């Protein structure tokens, strides 16, 4: 199995030359210490940790999986040592507030770290990754006493965290939550109920696990308006803030999953567990969803990560494996056959992976700048700034999460195809990438849920098409600047056409939905995918524009690097972007062809 290599050259190209992160960090209070030298050092050390420590555990962790014994979960061999190295390195507190032991760096630095960790070993990265949601929730909505009790050990990585939402009878529809929280005389609550699909719900990596749990008070209103949020630690902190007595929360079983087997996905039983209210009563969803946009960016990494990993391994295999002769003539006449890399269809698959990985990474980094401003608005109490950037990010996150994870699955499957029969065999690792990636289109909301959020809520309901108009105006303005360069003109013209079409499609769906509500649901998936292809085209044009400038005036990278960016842009616009038109056609198709068949007539069996 090939090893993972951190794509530092591409990362630095995006950070320094495409999106000017040094200039961006200079505008942030949290960016004071994020100097180019510090950022380079962090990227280098994180890359080394991912290559040398996490990547070697990827296959073995899948083979061994997690084990449950008497309510306690054991992680695969090597995981505890790797986690200790992670915690000792200060990686958990990279973007956490300094007053609670963190390094106070911008939120985007955590994203860069998470991308490398998630690509090298996604199942491992989920353990510390889930803690970030708990940390953010406590930081924004917890009392000062709760912050003092929980944030320092979470930031140090001594404790871990989870988010406990889903129950057997409800997933996305959290209005059906049944877990009960009964007030106690001492101000605490007794929680009773069952949560399922809880990533990192139990493990042996840390001395304590802090669960953030949705539950209902006895007199709570029905539906989502009656849900509160609670802190429920596995071990109750004692008077000194250390681990105390065992709480009434136990792992009842481990889910038997298709992939990410080294990540403990638990059924958690709360049996009179002691919990502490966080935030106002009956406003648990509002508190929990404060950082949901950043969580969805994190999930989008599992579209980019597998595309990158599968591409790295498929590329190495295609260079080494020999089969037949290239149709254009012998390329390696001294060998028994030509390498796979010389066959056009193999190039099609590899370039698709490359375009997805590098285009997806650029989309993430573009959005991470917005996340930095949003997080700083929240932490500094600037509600206006926080809301402004949360809205901008809110439009992009369903595209990032839905579109990139769908393409991540495609890229992972292409990797298996490049390997041929060997791709189907476990020892080569390619089929594991496919299995591990499949979950990405499901959690944090399925692709269909992301699509409804984008079209139904963000575009039609909240902004009446304004979100599309604002974003496409930015794209159009950028494209117009590059119409005079003959190398960029064809792509800039195509983008200008697409911005007009995107707005027209939005209006047509809006008008159709007035007569037929099902149109929103029937069009949403195609609308999301169309939006994704156009957004990625915009991001590829931005990379191409920089490549042209650096080829003319010199840059940090080699001529070959910049030429490869132009070649990949050409491939994307000519081979992948045309898919957008099929989605445009499909989204305007009437809902009747989906809904006219009676449910009982969908299948006929003997």
């Amino acid at each position: 199995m090939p090893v993972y290599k951190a794509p530092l050259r591409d990362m630095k190209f995006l950070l320094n030359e495409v999106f000017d992160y040094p200039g961006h960090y200079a505008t942030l209070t949290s960016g004071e210490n994020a100097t180019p030298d510090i950022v380079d050092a962090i990227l280098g050390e994180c890359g080394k940790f991912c290559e040398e420590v996490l990547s070697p555990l990827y296959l073995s962790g899948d083979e061994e999986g997690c084990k449950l014994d008497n309510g306690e979960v054991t992680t695969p061999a090597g995981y505890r040592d790797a986690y200790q190295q992670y915690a000792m390195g200060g990686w958990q507190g990279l973007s956490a507030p300094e007053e609670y032991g963190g390094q106070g760096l911008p939120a985007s630095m955590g994203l860069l770290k998470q991308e490398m960790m998630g690509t090298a070993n996604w199942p491992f990265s989920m353990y510390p990754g889930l803690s970030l949601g708990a940390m953010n929730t406590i930081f924004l909505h917890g009392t000062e006493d709760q912050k003092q009790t929980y944030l320092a050990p979470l930031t140090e990585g001594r404790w871990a965290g989870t988010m406990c939402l889903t129950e057997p009878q409800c997933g996305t529809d959290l209005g059906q939550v049944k877990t009960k929280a009964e007030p106690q005389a001492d101000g605490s609550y007794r929680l009773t109920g069952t949560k399922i699909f809880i990533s990192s719900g139990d493990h042996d990596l840390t001395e304590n696990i802090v669960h953030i749990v949705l539950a209902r008070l006895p007199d709570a209103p029905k539906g989502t308006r009656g849900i509160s949020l609670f802190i429920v630690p596995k071990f109750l902190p004692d008077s000194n803030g250390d681990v105390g007595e065992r709480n009434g929360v136990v792992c009842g079983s481990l889910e038997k999953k298709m992939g990410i087997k080294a990540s403990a996905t638990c059924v958690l039983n709360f049996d009179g567990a002691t919990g502490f209210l966080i935030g106002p009563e009956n406003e648990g969803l509002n508190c929990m969803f404060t950082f949901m946009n950043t969580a969805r960016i994190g999930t989008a990494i599992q579209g980019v990560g597998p595309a990158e990993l599968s591409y790295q391994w498929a590329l190495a295999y295609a260079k080494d494996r020999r089969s037949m002769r290239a149709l254009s003539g012998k390329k390696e006449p001294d060998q028994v056959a030509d390498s796979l890399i010389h066959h056009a269809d193999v190039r099609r698959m590899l370039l698709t992976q490359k375009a997805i990985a590098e285009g997806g990474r650029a989309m993430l980094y573009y959005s991470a700048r917005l996340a930095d401003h949003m997080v700083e608005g929240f932490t500094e109490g600037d509600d206006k700034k926080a809301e402004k950037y949360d809205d901008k990010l809110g439009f992009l996150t369903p595209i990032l999460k839905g579109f990139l994870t769908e393409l991540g699955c495609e890229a992972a499957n292409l990797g298996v195809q490049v390997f041929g029969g060997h791709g189907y065999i476990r020892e080569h690792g390619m089929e594991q990438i496919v299995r591990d990636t499949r979950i990405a289109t499901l959690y944090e909301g399925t692709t269909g849920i992301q699509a409804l959020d984008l079209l139904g809520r963000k575009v039609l309901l909240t902004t009446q098409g304004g979100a599309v108009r604002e974003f496409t105006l930015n794209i159009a303005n950028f494209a117009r600047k590059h119409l005079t360069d003959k190398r960029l003109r064809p792509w800039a013209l195509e983008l200008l056409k697409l911005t007009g079409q995107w707005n027209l499609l939005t209006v047509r769906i809006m008008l159709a939905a007035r007569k037929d509500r099902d149109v929103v649901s029937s069009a949403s998936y195609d609308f999301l995918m169309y939006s994704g292809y156009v957004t990625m085209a915009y991001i590829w044009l931005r990379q191409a524009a920089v490549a042209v400038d650096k080829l003319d005036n010199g840059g940090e990278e080699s001529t070959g690097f910049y030429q490869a960016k132009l070649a990949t842009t050409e491939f994307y616009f000519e081979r992948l972007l045309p898919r957008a038109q099929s989605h445009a056609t499909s989204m305007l198709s009437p809902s009747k062809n989906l809904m006219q068949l009676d449910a009982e007539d969908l299948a006929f069996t003997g």
Side-chain angles (χ1 to χ4, degrees):
M1 183 177 71
V3 295
Y4 164 72
K5 294 295 293 182
L8 295 178
R9 292 178 67 185
D10 195 56
M11 295 173 73
K12 292 177 182 179
F13 166 69
L14 296 174
L15 294 174
N16 299 328
E17 299 185 312
V18 178
F19 298 121
D20 185 23
Y21 265 74
H24 164 65
Y25 285 154
T27 68
L28 302 173
T29 303
S30 60
E32 182 180 359
N33 295 322
T35 63
D37 288 344
I38 293 295
V39 172
D40 278 355
I42 290 173
L43 293 180
E45 286 302 309
C46 187
K48 182 179 178 182
F49 173 70
C50 293
E51 292 170 0
E52 298 179 359
V53 179
L54 297 188
S55 181
L57 297 175
Y58 183 56
L59 183 58
S60 63
D62 180 72
E63 292 282 357
E64 183 178 346
C66 294
K67 297 179 176 62
L68 175 64
D69 183 24
N70 197 28
E72 301 288 338
V73 175
T74 303
T75 54
Y79 267 51
R80 288 195 68 184
D81 179 63
Y83 185 85
Q84 291 306 310
Q85 293 185 55
Y86 171 84
M88 290 290 289
W91 295 110
Q92 187 68 351
L94 195 66
S95 299
E98 292 181 273
E99 59 263 42
Y100 301 109
Q103 298 175 47
L105 292 170
S108 55
M109 289 299 300
L111 182 80
L112 304 180
K113 172 200 72 177
Q114 189 70 8
E115 182 206 336
M116 286 188 278
M117 290 180 58
T119 307
N121 191 328
W122 183 266
F124 176 92
S125 73
M126 292 182 68
Y127 290 102
L130 266 294
S131 298
L132 297 176
M135 292 163 63
N136 289 335
T137 303
I138 294 171
F139 176 71
L140 282 182
H141 303 291
T143 65
E144 187 56 38
D145 182 61
Q146 289 171 339
K147 294 177 185 178
Q148 293 294 337
T149 300
Y150 295 102
L151 283 182
L154 282 167
T155 299
E156 294 171 16
R158 289 190 291 113
W159 294 5
T162 75
M163 303 294 284
C164 299
L165 288 65
T166 307
E167 298 183 3
Q169 77 285 350
C170 70
T172 302
D173 185 4
L174 293 173
Q176 298 183 51
V177 163
K178 292 181 179 180
T179 298
K180 298 178 181 179
E182 299 176 313
Q184 303 300 296
D186 63 357
S188 66
Y189 296 80
R190 284 175 58 84
L191 273 76
T192 303
T194 297
K195 298 289 184 177
I196 65 171
F197 303 160
I198 308 305
S199 300
S200 310
D202 196 77
H203 52 78
D204 58 354
L205 304 181
T206 59
E207 62 186 37
N208 200 4
I209 302 174
V210 182
H211 304 290
I212 306 297
V213 185
L214 289 178
R216 290 186 181 281
L217 296 171
D219 57 349
K222 293 182 180 180
T224 56
R225 296 180 181 179
I227 301 176
S228 299
L229 199 61
F230 300 86
I231 299 173
V232 185
K234 179 179 179 179
F235 293 95
L236 294 167
D238 62 19
S239 57
N240 297 319
D242 297 322
V243 170
E245 64 178 285
R246 186 73 157 83
N247 203 358
V249 52
V250 177
C251 177
S253 65
L254 288 174
E255 306 287 3
K256 295 177 174 60
K257 301 169 297 185
M258 175 180 177
I260 57 170
K261 295 183 178 181
S263 173
T265 306
C266 302
V267 174
L268 291 183
N269 296 318
F270 296 83
D271 187 11
T274 299
F276 308 94
L277 182 69
I278 180 170
E281 292 184 2
N282 303 325
E283 293 188 20
L285 280 186
N286 290 336
C287 295
M288 187 195 66
F289 278 104
T290 302
F291 269 101
M292 187 54 66
N293 284 329
T294 52
R296 286 174 178 168
I297 292 179
T299 307
I301 291 173
Q302 203 181 353
V304 176
E308 174 67 37
L309 188 63
S310 185
Y311 172 61
Q312 286 190 15
W313 294 0
L315 178 61
Y317 185 84
K319 289 179 177 179
D320 183 66
R321 180 75 169 182
R322 303 184 185 283
S323 181
M324 302 180 292
R325 293 296 184 185
L327 295 180
S328 56
K330 293 181 180 180
K331 304 302 180 185
E332 299 168 285
D334 57 332
Q335 300 292 336
V336 65
D338 291 331
S339 300
L340 293 177
I341 197 77
H342 297 295
H343 297 293
D345 188 60
V346 174
R347 288 292 188 101
R348 172 189 62 82
M349 293 186 283
L350 292 172
L351 281 167
T352 300
Q353 292 179 300
K354 179 180 175 65
I356 292 171
E358 295 180 9
R361 178 178 300 113
M363 288 172 67
L364 290 175
Y365 290 14
Y366 172 85
S367 303
R369 286 176 47 121
L370 301 176
D372 280 339
H373 288 297
M374 183 197 74
V375 171
E376 190 153 284
F378 279 125
T379 56
E380 294 180 349
D382 188 341
D383 293 340
K384 187 176 181 180
K385 178 179 180 180
E387 183 177 349
K388 172 185 175 181
Y389 285 99
D390 195 29
D391 288 343
K392 290 179 179 292
L393 197 59
F395 171 70
L396 290 173
T397 48
I399 299 174
L400 293 171
K401 198 281 179 183
F403 175 73
L404 290 182
T405 56
E406 288 288 342
L407 263 61
C409 286
E410 177 184 350
N413 277 296
L414 287 173
V416 172
Q417 195 74 9
V418 171
F419 270 67
H422 289 297
Y424 202 67
I425 306 301
R426 294 189 67 177
E427 67 187 71
H428 293 281
M430 301 305 286
E431 60 85 33
Q432 183 186 342
I433 301 175
V434 173
R435 289 187 289 105
D436 287 352
T437 305
R438 193 62 187 87
I439 185 62
T441 64
L442 306 178
Y443 53 29
E444 295 295 346
T446 63
T447 304
I449 293 298
Q450 300 299 329
L452 277 174
D453 178 49
L454 174 66
L455 178 58
R457 192 158 71 92
K458 305 290 177 56
V459 173
L460 300 183
L461 184 61
T462 305
T463 67
Q464 292 78 51
V468 174
R469 290 192 296 273
E470 179 183 348
F471 188 59
T472 54
L473 179 61
N474 293 334
I475 297 176
N477 287 338
F478 181 83
R480 288 191 190 99
K481 294 178 182 179
H482 299 285
L483 290 174
T484 56
D485 190 306
K486 64 180 181 180
R487 292 163 293 185
L488 301 174
R489 186 184 302 120
W491 306 327
L493 282 172
E494 182 63 23
L495 260 184
L496 283 173
K497 294 176 185 176
L498 289 168
T499 57
Q501 185 184 40
W502 197 351
N503 281 281
L504 178 60
L505 291 168
T506 302
V507 171
R508 291 187 64 177
I509 292 171
M510 193 181 306
L511 294 174
R514 293 179 179 179
K515 299 178 180 180
D516 180 6
R517 288 293 187 185
D518 280 331
V519 164
V520 178
S521 180
S522 68
S524 60
Y525 167 77
D526 290 295
F527 186 88
L528 180 142
M529 296 301 291
Y530 176 93
S531 303
Y533 281 114
V534 178
T535 302
M536 186 174 277
Y538 166 50
I539 295 300
W540 267 114
L541 181 60
R542 291 191 62 156
Q543 294 184 78
V546 172
V548 164
D549 175 68
K550 300 305 179 183
L551 285 171
D552 290 344
N553 303 303
E556 298 179 9
E557 284 294 342
S558 66
T559 297
F561 180 91
Y562 297 122
Q563 289 174 336
K565 285 295 178 184
L566 293 179
T568 310
T569 303
E570 182 178 4
F571 171 84
Y572 180 82
F573 270 80
E574 295 187 3
R575 291 274 181 166
L576 299 186
L577 185 56
R579 298 177 181 182
Q581 295 311 313
S582 67
H583 290 294
T585 300
S586 293
M587 76 175 77
L588 296 179
S589 178
S591 67
K592 179 184 177 182
N593 54 40
L594 297 177
M595 308 305 295
Q596 65 183 342
L597 191 61
D598 290 339
E600 55 268 25
D601 292 337
L602 282 169
F604 296 91
T605 57

